[in-house]
Amino acid sequence: DGQGSQHAQRERGSAKQGHGPSAVSPATSAAQSGSEAESPTEARRKHERAAKPSTSHVARGKAKEVETARPTKLTSEPASSPSTSSAPESVSPASLSTPAASIPTAATEPIAKASQATGAAPSIARRSPQGKSSKAHRRSRAASTHSTAVSREAGGAGAAVAAAPVSLVSAVVHKATKPQAKHSSPVRSSPLATTITRIVGVVPTPIKILIGLLVALALAMAARNRLTDRRARRLERQRGELLEDVGLLQAALLPITPPRLGPVGTSAAYRPAEGPAAGGDFYDVFALEDGKIAVIVGDVSGHGRKALPHTALVRFTLRAYLEAGLSPRGAVQTAGAVLERQLGNSFATVVAATYNPRERRLVYASAGHPPPIVRGCEPESQPLEPVTACSSPPLGVGMATGVRQSVVDIPGSAQICFFTDGVTEARVGTELYGSQRLAEALAELGPQASADELLDSVSRSADRRPDDMAACVLHVEGSQQPPVAVLEELELDRELASSDRGEEFLRACGVGARDAAEAMHAARAAAERSGSVVLQLRRGGEVPEVSFQQDNLAYLQTRHAARQADVRLSV
């Protein structure tokens, strides 16, 4: 084909140019010009080698191609020893001579590796300073003979194999002759930095990614905690301001009691709870038209802004019924029926009382609230023991209330203390403060003790106050006669009269078991006839007296009739 003909032409041209006696390679001429006189034995050997026929046209052609394709001269200085050859095949890539200083030892290692991979064995003759290179020349000719045999066996592939070492030599020499950068002084690193660098170097990439994610998560959590802390401080500050506002609203809703109402000294005080917002306790002290003095003390469930409307609602409702002339029991009973829906999910405990200065009689009724402490002003005087059996339930719990009422005569000087459950539920260690400690504190303060002094004393004695505290103290002047409980009332409907609660009430008032059973038999008969009856037990004598009185509240009978109508309609 065309490539074969071109290859044959190149071989013929190489044979014509290299078979003459003057065919000497440029490298051989350079070596002859700078070498010393050779010995006769060396000249005879060269003549015999030159007389031998050419080994291969392919090798001579390839040598010429290599000599022609070499871009630059590898040696940077003239050769010092001659190297002659009478045959063109002596010119091969292996016969290229390079000074030892121009090619570093590290640069010759890739050349040796490339020569082993391609099957060729190029050698770089390092000339001695004296210019003697006979041994290097013999090694170059041996490598050239081996390259010629490989080219003869491989055919056309030999050209590519022979060209590869020359190109590699040129690249390595070019790299070795590049100007080196200016040597800089080494920077010494600390042992810690070196250790960290080594640790980071051996850590796998997934672990590095995981560590980065964990660090990012930690930073995000720290930022979030900082924001949460700032928000919590801001909310705590706003909560404190809100509690102060609620306390001011509570104080604005609570009336300012006069120091005296007629012959009776009055005082009232309020203390908000420790922690939660205030707003559940309330009190009121006012004069009625007939000269009586009315007292209202109560506690609405809940705290804060939601309790404030209910507090005002209960207080003004009870006050309206007392000013209308109803008894304390009647006021509580009516208010319970009216406020049952308006209180919603809340409820209220209250105590309502009236004091008649002319008769010196105190009448009070409670609904789920502790009774007042009534004691004489003498230091050895003991407070009256109230009757708590069959007490009325709180307002707004869906049950009939206002069924109990007590009457106390106060012939001499006395102290009457109304309070909320926050006072007695203050903590003294693991125990409640209690009504007994309250009576003792009242006695220690003296007959002129005010409500403010009493609550301050409770606050000093208590370790913790979980609820609001409110108190109202009345001081009645007179002789040294102690107060006396004279009357206890209990309203019974058909259901209550049929239960055992009536008998429990009579026994708590000092009635014997036989008399209590007979009284309850008569009460059940009266309740069956009229629907309800008021059981009155008079105390003060040697034997308690039991009597019955018809309920004069038409509203309660109407309410009872409405409930019966609802039952009939639902059936």
Side-chain angles (χ1 to χ4, degrees):
D1 51 1
Q3 294 182 358
S5 60
Q6 293 179 3
H7 184 66
Q9 292 177 4
R10 284 197 299 270
E11 289 181 352
R12 286 193 297 271
S14 299
K16 291 179 180 181
Q17 295 177 4
H19 276 287
S22 61
V24 182
S25 63
T28 305
S29 302
Q32 290 176 353
S33 61
S35 63
E36 297 176 356
E38 297 180 354
S39 63
T41 305
E42 188 66 18
R44 187 176 62 254
R45 290 179 181 175
K46 290 182 180 180
H47 181 70
E48 291 174 357
R49 285 197 298 268
K52 291 181 181 180
S54 177
T55 57
S56 175
H57 296 286
V58 178
R60 288 195 300 271
K62 194 61 185 175
K64 182 174 180 62
E65 290 180 3
V66 170
E67 190 68 17
T68 307
R70 186 168 57 185
T72 57
K73 190 174 182 180
L74 295 180
T75 58
S76 57
E77 57 185 12
S80 59
S81 62
S83 177
T84 59
S85 177
S86 60
E89 63 269 14
S90 62
V91 181
S92 65
S95 64
L96 297 177
S97 60
T98 305
S102 62
I103 302 179
T105 306
T108 61
E109 294 178 2
I111 301 174
K113 293 181 181 179
S115 302
Q116 294 176 5
T118 56
S123 62
I124 302 175
R126 298 187 179 181
R127 298 177 182 176
S128 59
Q130 292 78 8
K132 297 180 180 180
S133 60
S134 58
K135 295 182 180 180
H137 184 67
R138 287 196 296 271
R139 285 196 294 269
S140 298
R141 289 189 58 82
S144 176
T145 305
H146 180 69
S147 178
T148 303
V150 172
S151 300
R152 190 176 301 166
E153 293 175 359
V161 173
V166 178
S167 301
L168 186 58
V169 169
S170 301
V172 171
V173 172
H174 179 69
K175 182 177 180 180
T177 55
K178 281 186 177 180
Q180 299 295 328
K182 187 177 181 181
H183 181 69
S184 58
S185 59
V187 180
R188 295 183 179 179
S189 59
S190 62
L192 179 61
T194 304
T195 305
I196 294 176
T197 303
R198 291 177 179 175
I199 294 174
V200 172
V202 299
V203 174
T205 302
I207 301 299
K208 293 181 180 179
I209 296 174
L210 181 60
I211 293 174
L213 293 177
L214 292 178
V215 171
L217 181 61
L219 294 176
M221 292 295 294
R224 185 175 181 274
N225 290 338
R226 184 178 179 85
L227 293 177
T228 304
D229 185 57
R230 293 180 59 183
R231 187 182 297 110
R233 289 198 299 268
R234 184 175 66 254
L235 293 177
E236 186 66 24
R237 184 173 60 256
Q238 293 177 356
R239 180 176 178 272
E241 295 175 356
L242 181 61
L243 292 181
E244 293 179 1
D245 295 341
V246 171
L248 292 175
L249 290 175
Q250 178 72 12
L253 290 175
L254 296 177
I256 300 175
T257 59
R260 295 189 68 87
L261 287 175
V264 180
T266 62
S267 63
Y270 170 79
R271 297 289 185 276
E274 296 177 351
D281 294 2
F282 62 93
Y283 62 84
D284 198 358
V285 181
F286 55 96
L288 300 176
E289 291 182 356
D290 54 359
K292 296 180 181 180
I293 299 172
V295 180
I296 301 173
V297 176
D299 185 9
V300 176
S301 62
H303 297 278
R305 294 181 298 174
K306 294 182 179 180
L308 291 178
H310 295 158
T311 298
L313 178 64
V314 174
R315 181 169 73 87
F316 284 111
T317 301
L318 288 173
R319 177 167 180 164
Y321 291 144
L322 289 175
E323 289 181 342
L326 295 178
S327 64
R329 182 178 63 86
V332 171
Q333 188 178 52
T334 307
V338 172
L339 299 176
E340 185 173 351
R341 294 183 179 180
Q342 299 184 24
L343 290 177
N345 296 328
S346 301
F347 64 91
T349 62
V350 296
V351 57
T354 58
Y355 176 72
N356 191 338
R358 292 187 299 270
E359 298 179 359
R360 303 182 70 88
R361 174 164 289 185
L362 173 69
V363 181
Y364 67 89
S366 64
H369 202 86
I373 296 176
V374 182
R375 62 176 302 275
C377 292
E378 298 297 326
E380 64 277 2
S381 177
Q382 296 295 325
L384 291 177
E385 188 69 25
V387 178
T388 58
C390 297
S391 298
S392 301
L395 280 65
V397 295
M399 301 174 63
T401 186
V403 298
R404 284 278 290 110
Q405 182 171 278
S406 301
V407 179
V408 179
D409 285 345
I410 305 178
S413 61
Q415 288 177 318
I416 307 171
C417 179
F418 299 88
F419 57 92
T420 60
D421 56 357
V423 179
T424 56
E425 291 179 359
R427 299 294 191 273
V428 180
T430 57
E431 299 178 355
L432 297 178
Y433 189 80
S435 58
Q436 183 64 31
R437 286 191 176 92
L438 182 61
E440 294 174 359
L442 193 62
E444 291 177 358
L445 293 174
Q448 301 299 326
S450 64
D452 285 317
E453 296 174 349
L454 181 63
L455 294 185
D456 290 341
S457 176
V458 174
S459 300
R460 288 192 299 268
S461 302
D463 299 328
R464 188 165 57 91
R465 296 182 290 107
D467 199 1
D468 306 339
M469 297 192 306
C472 181
V473 179
L474 301 181
H475 175 66
V476 180
E477 297 178 352
S479 62
Q480 297 181 356
Q481 296 180 2
V484 179
V486 297
L487 183 64
E488 298 288 345
E489 294 182 353
L490 174 63
E491 181 183 351
L492 300 173
D493 55 6
R494 293 186 179 94
E495 182 180 357
L496 186 58
S498 301
S499 64
D500 297 336
R501 296 186 62 188
E503 293 186 13
E504 294 177 0
F505 169 73
L506 292 177
R507 291 178 182 178
C509 294
V511 179
R514 183 178 178 181
D515 295 338
E518 292 178 357
M520 288 306 302
H521 181 71
R524 280 190 291 270
E528 288 293 336
R529 290 192 304 268
S530 60
S532 64
V533 64
V534 178
L535 177 63
Q536 294 181 342
L537 189 143
R538 296 187 180 276
R539 307 172 64 184
E542 295 181 359
V543 179
E545 297 179 2
V546 181
S547 62
F548 303 99
Q549 182 181 359
Q550 293 291 334
D551 190 5
N552 57 357
L553 291 178
Y555 176 80
L556 294 180
Q557 296 175 359
T558 305
R559 180 185 176 212
H560 180 73
R563 284 184 175 179
Q564 294 297 328
D566 292 340
V567 171
R568 289 194 296 270
L569 289 174
S570 61
V571 173

